Amino acid sequence: MTNQEFDFTDHSHRRYNPLTDSWILVSPHRAKRPWLGQKETVAKNTIPEYDEKCFLCPGNARVTGGANPKYESTYIFQNDFAAVKTEQPTLPAHMDFKDPLKNKLFKVESVRGNCFVICFSPKHNVTIPQMKHDELVNVVGAWQQLYNNLSKEARDDGKPFKYVQIFENKGTAMGCSNLHPHGQAWCLESIPSEVSQELKSFQKYKTENHCDLLGDYVKLELQERTRIVVENDSFVCVVPYWAVWPFETMIVSKKKIASVAQFNDKEKDDLASILKTLTVKYDNLFECSFPYSMGLHQAPLNATGEELENSWFHMHFYPPLLRSATVRKFLVGFELLGEPQRDLTAEQAADRLRALDGEVHYTEKL
């Protein structure tokens, strides 16, 4: 025992994530350790506006044949290498392996669906923080249109679509195979595990407290303000109290919105604005094209009344960089075998992001 007062900026502790019903170890004192491990290579800013070899640039041939139209705004097409197929045989609801032990331990289900590529811009050499506001409004509008179209196909045409996961992997550090600014949408006939766990947590919280988990969380963050990075009329961006990645953030709607389908023009405009500000801050942090994986979490397609009641629109940003443009965090060792761990506290990360310029990109200052 010690008489020393507990210091959250120096003493190790665990934080609970109510969305995933899991814990994270926070070790702020470890931020002082020297780094002799792997360093990433910073990409040189020599990317052309148009690349004749890029399969996503307007007018270019696609890898499986055919060609892209000479699109001038956000463009969506079916992924040539989809992870799931719309047409394939189905398995029985309860697969019988003809073995009692296998039936206890092995579960399997067929999954149908479709995948799409969302080209944010016809320009090959820009990313979200370098796009104009109106261009980002078009991206948000494309997300909304895709969500609505898939809902209609499932409802009217019997397509096997239940949930659409819209996401972006930015940068080679996140496994991006083509640097043309684009995201993806994977649409499945089942709800993915991460989203399913969140919906269960939302339902449990509502049953126990008669209110919404993210509604209460937004209220608390707006009161404390120590983890807010940026906000506007419709959305707030925070470094979550339970963040795993060093500069992880979450964009949450201030009022209850179940999905992009419910966005009005003001909310589309505000989401585009906060996306621009956050990603400019990200790039300005280490003066590099800041890598991340980000995605939308929202209500399932053609959601039931209960699913709509439990859903609250939000976005997760998971960036790997830790100390500089070349030093990244790895989830290995204890974090794979025990539980996730971070060095920087959420409040320290929010302080750094909040202090950064969110309007002028560092490349415009050179």
Side-chain angles (χ1 to χ4, degrees):
M1 295 294 290
T2 176
N3 293 326
Q4 185 180 7
E5 185 176 346
F6 195 92
D7 183 354
F8 282 96
T9 66
D10 191 51
H11 298 142
S12 55
H13 56 281
R14 297 170 83 211
R15 296 190 182 191
Y16 178 68
N17 182 344
L19 275 66
T20 59
D21 190 25
S22 60
W23 289 84
I24 170 177
L25 174 63
V26 183
S27 312
H29 55 284
R30 277 171 54 90
K32 303 170 187 175
R33 64 183 176 137
W35 180 262
L36 298 175
Q38 176 177 315
K39 294 187 177 182
E40 302 297 318
T41 301
V42 179
K44 295 180 180 180
N45 190 22
T46 56
I47 302 172
E49 184 173 312
Y50 167 76
D51 185 345
E52 62 182 13
K53 297 179 181 178
C54 173
F55 297 115
L56 303 184
C57 277
N60 283 4
R62 294 249 285 277
V63 67
T64 57
N68 296 320
K70 292 188 176 181
Y71 63 94
E72 298 179 349
S73 182
T74 304
Y75 170 58
I76 299 178
F77 64 91
Q78 187 168 313
N79 196 319
D80 295 323
F81 298 96
V84 288
K85 302 176 181 179
T86 303
E87 301 296 335
Q88 70 171 31
T90 59
L91 289 171
H94 300 285
M95 183 76 174
D96 186 358
F97 289 97
K98 311 300 182 184
D99 181 306
L101 194 55
K102 280 189 176 182
N103 287 339
K104 286 181 183 179
L105 297 176
F106 294 172
K107 293 184 179 180
V108 62
E109 60 183 23
S110 59
V111 180
R112 295 171 298 167
N114 207 344
C115 297
F116 302 88
V117 176
I118 308 167
C119 294
F120 298 150
S121 169
K123 294 181 180 179
H124 185 75
N125 63 341
V126 299
T127 56
I128 285 178
Q130 297 168 304
M131 292 172 63
K132 296 177 181 178
H133 175 78
D134 289 348
E135 294 171 332
L136 293 177
V137 172
N138 289 338
V139 172
V140 177
W143 291 342
Q144 184 183 63
Q145 183 178 11
L146 180 62
Y147 183 99
N148 289 336
N149 288 347
L150 293 172
S151 295
K152 185 177 186 301
E153 288 182 31
R155 183 177 61 250
D156 299 344
D157 303 333
K159 293 290 182 68
F161 302 152
K162 178 60 180 175
Y163 191 86
V164 57
Q165 180 58 65
I166 298 170
F167 64 97
E168 177 197 9
N169 295 323
K170 181 192 174 195
T172 55
M174 303 311 294
C176 181
S177 59
N178 188 319
L179 294 181
H180 192 101
H182 74 284
Q184 298 184 57
W186 291 16
C187 188
L188 312 180
E189 62 180 326
S190 57
I191 300 177
S193 298
E194 289 291 318
V195 181
S196 178
Q197 178 57 56
E198 285 190 355
L199 290 174
K200 289 175 184 175
S201 296
F202 294 161
Q203 183 177 25
K204 182 174 183 288
Y205 189 90
K206 183 179 282 289
T207 300
E208 294 176 351
N209 301 282
H210 309 291
C211 47
D212 291 289
L213 191 159
L214 282 182
D216 280 356
Y217 182 61
V218 165
K219 190 183 305 180
L220 186 59
E221 290 289 15
L222 291 174
Q223 289 173 357
E224 294 196 350
R225 310 199 68 80
T226 55
R227 288 170 294 275
I228 293 178
V229 176
V230 61
E231 65 174 306
N232 57 31
D233 291 342
S234 306
F235 300 93
V236 60
C237 174
V238 301
V239 177
Y241 180 77
W242 49 80
V244 172
W245 296 94
F247 294 96
E248 175 181 334
T249 57
M250 185 166 67
I251 295 175
V252 192
S253 60
K254 286 186 172 180
K255 72 175 186 181
K256 184 164 186 171
I257 303 174
S259 72
V260 291
Q262 298 178 352
F263 281 12
N264 57 32
D265 289 343
K266 166 68 171 170
E267 287 151 356
K268 285 191 282 188
D269 192 79
D270 280 355
L271 184 59
S273 176
I274 206 166
L275 283 171
K276 171 84 172 180
T277 302
L278 171 62
T279 55
V280 168
K281 284 175 176 285
Y282 269 159
D283 278 14
N284 285 347
L285 179 61
F286 297 133
E287 296 193 347
C288 69
S289 185
F290 201 77
Y292 57 71
S293 280
M294 71 85 160
L296 287 61
H297 279 182
Q298 55 190 327
L301 302 175
N302 300 311
T304 64
E306 184 176 75
E307 288 170 339
L308 278 176
E309 190 63 26
N310 292 326
S311 298
W312 192 295
F313 178 88
H314 60 288
M315 297 179 67
H316 294 285
F317 281 76
Y318 299 134
L321 295 186
L322 175 60
R323 303 185 187 196
S324 70
T326 61
V327 178
R328 63 170 293 177
K329 174 182 176 61
F330 293 90
L331 284 176
V332 296
F334 179 85
E335 293 165 293
L336 284 178
L337 301 167
E339 66 188 18
Q341 180 270 343
R342 67 179 284 124
D343 296 344
L344 202 66
T345 68
E347 294 76 21
Q348 290 169 333
D351 281 343
R352 292 187 62 179
L353 290 173
R354 188 167 50 245
L356 292 165
D357 188 344
E359 295 184 8
V360 182
H361 195 265
Y362 76 94
T363 57
E364 299 173 22
K365 301 176 183 178
L366 300 178

